[in-house]
Amino acid sequence: MTKVKVKEIERLNVDILQIVNERNRLQSKMEKHVIFSKFLEKTVESAEEFQEIREIITRYDTLCATHDYLMKKEAKSQDGTEQEKAKLKKFIEVESQIHF
């Protein structure tokens, strides 16, 4: 064999080792997450509301977006309430000073 072919074989062996390691890592990750897939499949089977796993995920996304929107709206309302309380307190102080 020529020197070039030996180097190419060595490089390919390194590539194979990296690919095998990546495959093992992904396989392990997949095995850890299979429980979630099974849970979603059982949910689809038992819930009349959902026909596919994608529908559950879409519903979850919608609920998260709604939650975020409501939290922002609540914070804005809370800020408005605090501002109005401050105005009322100042008004009461001014009124009490005028009447005394």
Side-chain angles (χ1 to χ4, degrees), residues 11-22:
R11 186 188 63 76
L12 290 172
N13 282 331
V14 168
D15 287 350
I16 289 171
L17 184 61
Q18 289 174 344
I19 291 170
V20 168
N21 287 338
E22 179 68 6

Side-chain angles (χ1 to χ4, degrees), residues 7-45:
K7 281 199 171 249
E8 179 69 12
I9 289 172
E10 290 173 355
R11 186 188 63 76
L12 290 172
N13 282 331
V14 168
D15 287 350
I16 289 171
L17 184 61
Q18 289 174 344
I19 291 170
V20 168
N21 287 338
E22 179 68 6
R23 183 194 56 147
N24 290 340
R25 185 186 70 78
L26 292 172
Q27 181 70 29
S28 175
K29 190 173 183 179
M30 186 183 74
E31 288 170 0
K32 289 178 184 175
H33 290 98
V34 75
I35 187 171
F36 303 114
S37 177
K38 288 181 181 181
F39 172 77
L40 289 172
E41 288 171 4
K42 287 181 183 179
T43 302
V44 167
E45 290 173 8

Side-chain angles (χ1 to χ4, degrees), residues 92-100:
I92 291 171
E93 288 174 0
V94 169
E95 285 295 313
S96 66
Q97 290 175 357
I98 292 173
H99 288 82
F100 286 112

Side-chain angles (χ1 to χ4, degrees), residues 51-93:
Q51 310 307 315
E52 297 178 7
I53 291 175
R54 183 76 216 136
E55 293 173 355
I56 297 171
I57 294 169
T58 300
R59 177 71 173 145
Y60 174 79
D61 292 341
T62 302
L63 290 173
C64 285
T66 302
H67 177 261
D68 290 343
Y69 168 77
L70 291 173
M71 292 301 289
K72 288 175 184 172
K73 186 175 179 180
E74 192 273 335
K76 187 176 179 181
S77 296
Q78 190 69 24
D79 290 344
T81 301
E82 293 299 321
Q83 290 174 0
E84 292 301 317
K85 282 182 182 180
K87 288 180 187 177
L88 179 61
K89 183 178 178 182
K90 188 172 184 176
F91 175 77
I92 291 171
E93 288 174 0

